[in-house]
Amino acid sequence: MKKHIITVIVILISMLFTYAAIFKAMDYPLFLSDMSKSPLLVKYDKNLLAPVVLGTEFLIVILLAFPGTRKAAFFLSFFVMAMFSLYLSTLYFFFTNIPCSCGGILGKMPYPVHIAFNICFTVISGAGVLLSNKS
């Protein structure tokens, strides 16, 4: 049963990060533009940060594909989702009219829905970490 749960978690996280990364990459100039509008990222070079975000998302998907690297992928996914949740929450509660640079349907979600969505995936990633620790 645990193996099936881990498989479902792998599929969900892989779909999320593949979808998000592909949509950002497909409209890379918009992704950069939206990142540039974030008051939390003004100190960072977007031309450096954007490829790191995309690379990390694709890396998680690749690491999830192999049983030997899944635990690392779950940890990385948990960290990334927790950071994205904190980032979106900060934007929502302390700033106004800041576009989300997530792309696709994710970027069109209202902030409260997107934050809840991210928290759900943070919990899913955490479950992956816990279940892979018991292997």
Side-chain angles (χ1 to χ4, degrees), residues 28-94:
Y28 195 73
L30 177 63
F31 175 50
L32 280 175
S33 172
D34 286 346
M35 283 182 75
S36 297
K37 295 173 186 169
S38 172
L40 300 176
L41 302 176
V42 292
K43 295 181 181 178
Y44 301 98
D45 181 358
K46 299 340 161 267
N47 292 312
L48 216 54
L49 186 59
V52 168
V53 169
L54 286 175
T56 301
E57 291 175 340
F58 282 123
L59 176 63
I60 289 168
V61 174
I62 292 166
L63 292 174
L64 284 170
F66 304 100
T69 56
R70 270 193 195 136
K71 187 173 178 179
F74 287 140
F75 272 110
L76 184 56
S77 173
F78 178 82
F79 174 76
V80 167
M81 290 309 301
M83 293 305 297
F84 281 168
S85 299
L86 181 62
Y87 171 78
L88 286 175
S89 296
T90 303
L91 286 178
Y92 178 69
F93 289 110
F94 298 105

Side-chain angles (χ1 to χ4, degrees), residues 11 16 19-20 29 31 34 43 46 48 53 69 71 75 85 96-97 99 101 103 111-112 114 119-121 127-128 130:
I11 290 168
L16 172 67
Y19 177 84
F31 175 50
D34 286 346
K43 295 181 181 178
K46 299 340 161 267
L48 216 54
V53 169
T69 56
K71 187 173 178 179
F75 272 110
S85 299
T96 57
N97 298 323
S101 58
Y111 268 85
H114 198 155
I119 291 170
C120 286
F121 269 89
L130 294 175

